[in-house]
Each structure stands twice: as structure tokens, then as C-alpha cells.
Amino acid sequence: MDRLPVELVANICSFLKPRDIGHLRRVSKFYANVGRPFMFRQLHLIFKPESFERMHAICSNPTLTPYVTSFYYEADTLPFHECFDEWELHLIDPAIFPGLDFVHPPGPNSTERARRAYQRQLKKLKIKPRHQYSQDQLATAYQKYLDYSKEQDDMRRDNYHAGKIADALARLPNLEEIILSLEGWEEGQSKKLKNSYSDTLVTPDGDNSWTEPLGVPQMISLLQGSARTEMRLKRLGGGPVDWKFFQQSDEIFEELKKAVRNVQELKLGLSTGCEEAEDSLDGVETFGIETEECAEYLKNGRLREFLAAAPHLRLLDLQFDWSNPNCPADLRYVFGKDKWDFLQDLTLSTFDSRAEDLLSFCETHAKTLRKLVLDAIKLVEGSWPSTFQEMRRLLHLEQVRICGDLESSEFGEDWCFTMMESEEETTMSRVVQDYLLQGGDGPLLDLSQYDELTRLELAALEASLSG
């Protein structure tokens, strides 16, 4: 096996997980040397002292640091419970509820199916015993919970160990990517995170600090560390991060802008907080508690200024979480007349916009933009059918996805498309997506196979699109 070409073994390693590479490296010195760069491509940090110690050990080894290209910070913390009884009340035994760590309320744009599933989960938790742990198991787990919670409180008081993160980043000369994940952002929580807290019988979720906005101190520590090391960061992602991330002093904000000056791919999941209220139909309604405050603040151009500091963007993904009671940002204060000369891929979720602002952005980036995702966008001025027509004329897209509820100020315009997280596309989504990709001015599909309500909605949309 040692006679295989180095290039071939390296290519194989590029598809393996770190654990598998570790096994491969034990075969011989040859495989140990070839596999070494792939073993430490990503530094995975979680919010525990042992993880920070491992990070320090790796970053203190100059034979390892050149291989690290990705820094993945999974910053979830244990939920806060005042006493044993409250902690025990929230336990969910995976043996009784397989795959269910905690029950999330549905979002404001969720489907009826998702809302019904949420209600079923709540009923199951009330009917069945939540766990079958013994008193000894509970006592041991609760003590672990208290110990880990104290460790996390100490780390928060030390500014979330921002100094240790900055020191680590300064030792990674080839770092290209920084990702901050809370609440399983994008890919779900890792086994490493869950296993690290399994002896507490509790799943970490978000940052349960009462003093800091969600994800803000963690994201600031990462970007400040990046800015101070002069690294050429190419990819930056983070979420959910509270919108107050942009409410920093001018000095700190300049550092944040400096950190993204070479970024080519930027993904941000922005949060305005949420709260539940009783609803006569679904039993619960979730809404963003700071959407109006966020929308008013972002009129000052802080988000626009942050994006403008990254002139080399090829991919931009901006997603807010709540549009109830209103969207937390308006595109006119996010983009203005700015242009990104290399932008190819754009995703926008939960924004207000005037049709003229959306179309102006499309026209400015028509030469480069090839992929577009729009989710839960409300036109405060203008009509969607005429906007789609103009987008088709301006753009030459290769991929497009239309999601969520698209509303406008026009009477009766409230189009319900596929949910962002759904893999199944509705008829409405296929109609508009096909139109934006292929055009056409005749009937877009045969309406005879759909129910009366769908036929009426599609007929109205087709009539508007075909002009």
C-alpha cells in the first residue's frame, strides 16, 4: 500500500472525515505523513474549557497550524434552570422520544403541517413520561449540569475567552474560513457538541446569557481576532446572530469591517428575538419582538456599510428569522446603489422592499448574478407579477428559488410558495421559477389538474406574468 502515489492517497484523504484519517495514519509512517495535513483542516471549538485547551494545544504547535484552513465555533451553552425541579421538568429521554432533543415552536411563515406537528409533540410530552432515569442518574447528571454551567458563567465573565480566540487566530497563517454556529445553524448540532454535554442529560441550545445578545460577543471576538492578524479571510458565516451585532462603537465597527475586506462568501443568519403568544387557531403564535426596532436602526446604514466593506463578494446570504409583525429590514437601506462586481449568488430572506429597489439591484448585477433565492419578501410598493416580468428581462439566471409568502401592497397579492426548509416545491414555486429561468408568454402549465383555489390563484398569476 505504501507504493501508491502520494497524489492519489492525498486525493482519497480529501474525502475522509478526521476520524477516518486518524485510522489511516496509524497504518504506516507513509500514511501518517500524507494524512497529516487533512487531519487538522478544521479547528472545531465548543464553549467548554477542555475545547479551548485543545485549541491552544493545536495552535501552539507550528507543525500543525499551517494546515488549519477552517475555524468552526459551535458556541451553544446549557439552558438556564433555577433549580433541580425545573431542570428535571425539561428532560426528554431519547429512548422515549427518538431524535427529539427539544421542541421548537413553528415560525411565522411555517406550514400548517409544521404547526400541527408542533402541537402533536406538545401533546406527547404531556401524555407520556418524559424519561425513565433513576434518582441516582438524575442526581449525578444534575451535578454535572451545575458544574458545566459554572464553567460557562466563568468563561462569560472572561469576555467569552475572546483573548484566547484572538491568540489562536493569530497563529493560523492559512485560515480561510470562520463559521459561528448556534442552535444548530444550517447543518444542525454536531455529535461532538451533543456528546460533550451528554452526561448532563440536557441538550445545549443557543447562548443563555441574560446580559448579551445572542451570538454577538462570539462573532465580535472572531472578527476582531481576524482583523488584528491581517489574515485574508475568504469565507465568513454565522447564525443566528442578534441584529445588535451592528450596534457597536465606531472603533469596534471599524475592526469588524476590516475583517471582511477580503471575504468572498458571506452568510449571516440575523435574529430579532422571538416570543410566543396564544392563538385561537393554532394554539401558539411566534413573533419577532424587535423587528420594528431593528428596521428603524438599520435605516442608519450600518448593515449597508458592513456589506460595502466586502467588495469581493461572490456569494451573499442574508436571512432574518421573523417577519411578524413586520420585516426587520428594507433593502433600500441594505444595498442602496452599491455594487459588488463579482456577485454570482444571492439569498435574501425576510425583507421589505420597493419593487424599484429590488429591480435596481438586479439591473446593477445582471452581468454576474446567476443564482437567486428570495424568501418571504414583501413589496411595500409595486406588484410581484410586473416585478417578475422585469426580473426575467434583466437577469440571465441559471438557478432560482422562490420561497415563503411573497406579499405586496397591491390588493389580493399574497402568494404562498414553498417553505425555505422544504424539499418539496409547490406548484406556485415551479410556475415562477420556470418563468424566471425560461421565460414564455403563453400558459405556463395545464391548470386542469389542480383544485379550484389553486387554479384561480395560478390563473391570476399567469395572466399577470403574460402581460
Side-chain angles (χ1 to χ4, degrees), residues 258-456:
K258 183 180 178 182
V260 300
R261 64 195 182 280
N262 294 304
V263 167
Q264 299 175 14
E265 298 182 11
L266 176 61
K267 289 186 173 185
L268 289 178
L270 298 168
S271 178
T272 52
C274 67
E275 192 167 285
E276 296 179 29
E278 293 298 321
D279 183 274
S280 58
L281 295 178
D282 301 302
V284 66
E285 179 183 17
T286 308
F287 57 93
I289 57 178
E290 295 179 345
T291 55
E292 294 178 344
E293 184 180 353
C294 175
E296 186 62 30
Y297 179 78
L298 292 183
K299 289 180 181 180
N300 70 5
R302 266 298 172 95
L303 175 52
R304 176 180 175 181
E305 189 179 345
F306 182 74
L307 296 177
H312 305 292
L313 287 178
R314 297 179 182 275
L315 181 151
L316 176 60
D317 186 331
L318 293 176
Q319 299 187 40
F320 280 95
D321 51 1
W322 306 109
S323 60
N324 185 7
N326 60 278
C327 290
D330 191 310
L331 288 186
R332 80 182 83 175
Y333 305 115
V334 176
F335 295 137
K337 300 297 182 182
D338 296 338
K339 181 183 179 183
W340 289 264
D341 292 332
F342 310 101
L343 188 64
Q344 300 174 2
D345 187 332
L346 176 67
T347 296
L348 296 173
S349 178
T350 319
F351 285 87
D352 282 339
S353 179
R354 298 180 303 185
E356 64 178 280
D357 296 318
L358 180 58
L359 292 173
S360 174
F361 184 90
C362 290
E363 184 173 17
T364 301
H365 298 85
K367 290 184 178 181
T368 59
L369 193 61
R370 294 296 176 263
K371 180 180 178 182
L372 178 64
V373 178
L374 297 178
D375 172 54
I377 307 296
K378 180 179 179 180
L379 293 183
V380 294
E381 291 181 15
S383 169
W384 273 114
S386 60
T387 300
F388 286 142
Q389 284 181 306
E390 191 64 11
M391 288 171 64
R392 169 60 191 166
R393 185 186 70 82
L394 293 170
L395 298 174
H396 306 282
L397 297 172
E398 297 173 0
Q399 297 181 60
V400 63
R401 190 155 188 239
I402 307 297
C403 314
D405 286 344
L406 299 195
E407 304 177 46
S408 83
S409 57
E410 298 292 320
F411 178 76
E413 278 196 17
D414 185 357
W415 312 109
C416 184
F417 294 88
T418 306
M419 294 297 106
M420 176 75 93
E421 65 277 6
S422 175
E423 295 182 0
E424 298 181 4
E425 290 191 341
T426 65
T427 303
M428 295 291 290
S429 295
R430 289 196 299 271
V431 167
V432 176
Q433 289 166 183
D434 289 346
Y435 176 79
L436 291 175
L437 290 173
Q438 303 166 17
D441 51 12
L444 300 177
L445 59 130
D446 181 6
L447 301 183
S448 62
Q449 57 183 306
Y450 305 105
D451 60 47
E452 183 64 24
L453 179 60
T454 300
R455 289 202 300 273
L456 291 174

Side-chain angles (χ1 to χ4, degrees), residues 144-340:
K144 285 290 185 183
Y145 165 78
L146 293 177
D147 294 342
Y148 292 165
S149 296
K150 182 180 183 303
E151 288 178 348
Q152 292 180 344
D153 287 340
D154 292 341
M155 294 167 71
R156 289 190 184 100
R157 281 190 285 271
D158 187 36
N159 194 24
Y160 288 76
H161 279 356
K164 294 183 178 181
I165 291 177
D167 179 68
L169 293 176
R171 299 168 185 258
L172 302 175
N174 298 316
L175 193 67
E176 297 180 347
E177 175 184 74
I178 289 178
I179 303 293
L180 170 67
S181 175
L182 289 151
E183 301 177 359
W185 182 67
E186 285 214 314
E187 297 183 1
Q189 293 181 332
S190 69
K191 288 184 179 180
K192 177 178 180 178
L193 176 71
K194 293 180 180 180
N195 291 341
S196 296
Y197 293 96
S198 61
D199 49 0
T200 70
L201 304 181
V202 177
T203 300
D205 181 32
D207 180 16
N208 297 281
S209 166
W210 295 100
T211 58
E212 297 291 343
L214 178 65
V216 171
Q218 296 92 332
M219 182 61 87
I220 289 178
S221 67
L222 291 169
L223 293 187
Q224 284 184 322
S226 173
R228 293 169 185 174
T229 58
E230 301 294 330
M231 71 173 58
R232 299 181 67 84
L233 195 64
K234 293 182 179 179
R235 293 178 297 277
L236 173 66
V241 177
D242 195 280
W243 66 274
K244 296 184 186 70
F245 167 73
F246 300 104
Q247 263 186 346
Q248 306 304 316
S249 67
D250 291 343
E251 181 180 358
I252 292 178
F253 198 65
E254 285 302 315
E255 284 191 293
L256 304 184
K257 293 194 304 181
K258 183 180 178 182
V260 300
R261 64 195 182 280
N262 294 304
V263 167
Q264 299 175 14
E265 298 182 11
L266 176 61
K267 289 186 173 185
L268 289 178
L270 298 168
S271 178
T272 52
C274 67
E275 192 167 285
E276 296 179 29
E278 293 298 321
D279 183 274
S280 58
L281 295 178
D282 301 302
V284 66
E285 179 183 17
T286 308
F287 57 93
I289 57 178
E290 295 179 345
T291 55
E292 294 178 344
E293 184 180 353
C294 175
E296 186 62 30
Y297 179 78
L298 292 183
K299 289 180 181 180
N300 70 5
R302 266 298 172 95
L303 175 52
R304 176 180 175 181
E305 189 179 345
F306 182 74
L307 296 177
H312 305 292
L313 287 178
R314 297 179 182 275
L315 181 151
L316 176 60
D317 186 331
L318 293 176
Q319 299 187 40
F320 280 95
D321 51 1
W322 306 109
S323 60
N324 185 7
N326 60 278
C327 290
D330 191 310
L331 288 186
R332 80 182 83 175
Y333 305 115
V334 176
F335 295 137
K337 300 297 182 182
D338 296 338
K339 181 183 179 183
W340 289 264

Side-chain angles (χ1 to χ4, degrees), residues 385 415 447 454-466:
W415 312 109
L447 301 183
T454 300
R455 289 202 300 273
L456 291 174
E457 289 183 344
L458 288 175
L461 182 58
E462 283 189 354
S464 301
L465 288 174
S466 59

